[in-house]
Each structure stands twice: as C-alpha cells, then as structure tokens.
Amino acid sequence: EVQLVQSGAEAKKPGESLKISCQASGYNFSTYWIGWVRQMPGKGLECMGIIYPDDSETRYSPSFQGHVTISADKSINTAYLQWSSLKASDAAIYYCARQRGDGAGPGDWGQGTLVTVSS
Amino acid sequence: DIQMTQSPSTLSASVGDRVTITCRASQNIRTWLAWFQQKPGKAPRLLIYKASTLETGVPSRFSGSGSGTDFTLTITSLQPDDFATYYCQKYNNFWTFGQGTKVEIK
C-alpha cells in the first residue's frame, strides 16, 4: 500500500526557518515525481513545485521560486519543503502528493501539514 | 505557463441532479487532465485521470470527457456525499490546478 506520511503541525514566527517532510512507503520512491501543494485558508490548491527523487530534478512554480526549497533524500524515502525565512502569508496547509507512473497524475496524497506563522 | 480555468466557481444543486463542471486549459494539454474532490479538512481525492479514466473505487456516476483545451466533469445523479469542492488539474511537465468549483446544497 502506498503511503505518504507528513510531519506534524508547526507554529512559527515570521522570519524563522522551517523544514517539513513527507515520508513515502509502499513503492519505489526514486522513480516517481512528488509535488508540494499549498492550500491557504479557505482557498484553492496551488502546486509549489515537483521533484524527481532519483536525480533531484526540481521544477518550481514561478510564484514560489526563490522563496522555498524542495529536496528529497532517496536513502530514507523522504521529500522536504523548506523556508529560510517565513512570512505570515506562508500560513497554510501543505500537502505532498505522488504522481503515479501509469499516467494517472497525483493519485496518492499525504495527510497535510498545517503551518501557522504568527508573531 | 498553462492556466486552468474552471466554471462555475459555485454551483447550487439538489440530490438527484445532473451536475456539469467545465475546465479550460490555455494551451493544448491533450488528455493530461485530472479531476479531484476535496472535502473540508481532507486531502484531495483523485476521481478521474487522463481526462476520462475513472479512478478505482470511484462511483460510476462520475465521468469525465474532453481533450485539448476543453474538459468536463459530470455527476449524473448527485448524492449527499458529493457536496464538496472539485478541482481540475493538468499534470504533464508540471501541475496546475483550476480555481475550484464548490457544489452546494440548493
């Protein structure tokens, strides 16, 4: 069974750094794209970027390029999303999702990580 | 960048209604189109991929059609469990979501 298990909720202050994780199991982590999706309170889904863990090829949305870093450690089947300096506007739920190899798109999702940013 | 535009933003319907949601891509995406259902506090659930392929376990009242730039999600007989928000997404090369359609009880 494919599972994506995300790290727990975080409460941070503006300017702080943060790294959240998405640990995968049940499939060959290296050979499937993983994406990070933001959902701000009451709003829609936005893809921040996707990564191919085998060679760490990463594609960012222009809206997020330079503000976040997406990475993956295939030795421990884990993808990461990190910020060096959080803003209040980064408060959101963040989901990781796996793009399936049968052309199905992101059919497997993590449970989401709630990030709150407040002084 | 390819933009995805959904309509309507909100839809009011009754149990048993036939519901149609449309999604338009700003460029040809062939059939690299998925539909998701999302309920409050939950992760999105894949319903349809490759524009018209029903995901395993999804009820047959859901169907998708289209190719190129114009796509449709249809629910043939709306059930109480179907009141939710629906998103289209293109997923070749990069992922881009439509803005969502909230299906409300009329």
Side-chain angles (χ1 to χ4, degrees), chain A residues 39 59 95 99-100 102-103, chain B residues 38 50 55 91 93 95:
Chain A
Q39 189 165 40
R59 300 172 184 174
Y95 294 101
Q99 178 152 334
R100 299 207 312 241
D102 55 357
Chain B
Q38 189 181 32
K50 289 182 186 174
E55 170 73 343
Y91 56 91
N93 298 321
W95 302 352

Side-chain angles (χ1 to χ4, degrees), chain B residues 23-100:
Chain B
C23 179
R24 176 163 289 176
S26 60
Q27 297 176 34
N28 184 350
I29 59 168
R30 295 191 287 171
T31 56
W32 297 111
L33 193 282
W35 289 98
F36 294 87
Q37 178 193 67
Q38 189 181 32
K39 296 182 178 180
K42 299 292 188 181
R45 173 196 181 196
L46 178 66
L47 300 175
I48 304 277
Y49 61 93
K50 289 182 186 174
S52 61
T53 303
L54 197 66
E55 170 73 343
T56 301
V58 174
S60 58
R61 63 182 179 271
F62 291 92
S63 64
S65 64
S67 66
T69 60
D70 293 306
F71 302 89
T72 299
L73 173 70
T74 299
I75 310 172
T76 52
S77 177
L78 199 66
Q79 297 302 301
D81 190 49
D82 301 337
F83 292 98
T85 300
Y86 294 84
Y87 295 92
C88 65
Q89 182 216 35
K90 75 96 175 172
Y91 56 91
N92 61 316
N93 298 321
F94 196 74
W95 302 352
T96 305
F97 293 92
Q99 73 272 32

Side-chain angles (χ1 to χ4, degrees), chain A residues 55-97:
Chain A
D55 60 6
S56 291
E57 178 184 349
T58 308
R59 300 172 184 174
Y60 291 95
S61 163
S63 300
F64 296 94
Q65 177 91 48
H67 185 54
V68 298
T69 301
I70 293 170
S71 60
D73 184 341
K74 57 186 181 180
S75 70
I76 56 171
N77 293 349
T78 301
Y80 300 97
L81 175 65
Q82 68 181 87
W83 296 259
S84 58
S85 181
L86 285 160
K87 303 176 183 177
S89 57
D90 292 319
I93 297 174
Y94 294 88
Y95 294 101
C96 63

Side-chain angles (χ1 to χ4, degrees), chain A:
Chain A
E1 179 194 8
V2 172
Q3 283 196 305
L4 299 174
V5 179
Q6 297 184 228
S7 49
E10 300 275 1
K12 295 296 218 178
K13 293 180 167 56
E16 292 187 331
S17 63
L18 176 64
K19 191 173 189 177
I20 63 175
S21 66
C22 170
Q23 183 165 37
S25 62
Y27 72 98
N28 184 352
F29 175 74
S30 294
T31 57
Y32 293 85
W33 288 90
I34 282 195
W36 285 96
V37 176
R38 182 176 78 172
Q39 189 165 40
M40 298 178 74
K43 301 299 183 182
L45 305 171
E46 303 173 89
C47 180
M48 306 170 73
I50 58 175
I51 186 167
Y52 192 72
D54 194 45
D55 60 6
S56 291
E57 178 184 349
T58 308
R59 300 172 184 174
Y60 291 95
S61 163
S63 300
F64 296 94
Q65 177 91 48
H67 185 54
V68 298
T69 301
I70 293 170
S71 60
D73 184 341
K74 57 186 181 180
S75 70
I76 56 171
N77 293 349
T78 301
Y80 300 97
L81 175 65
Q82 68 181 87
W83 296 259
S84 58
S85 181
L86 285 160
K87 303 176 183 177
S89 57
D90 292 319
I93 297 174
Y94 294 88
Y95 294 101
C96 63
R98 177 185 82 120
Q99 178 152 334
R100 299 207 312 241
D102 55 357
D108 304 298
W109 289 70
Q111 81 277 19
T113 295
L114 175 65
V115 174
T116 56
V117 185
S118 174
S119 54

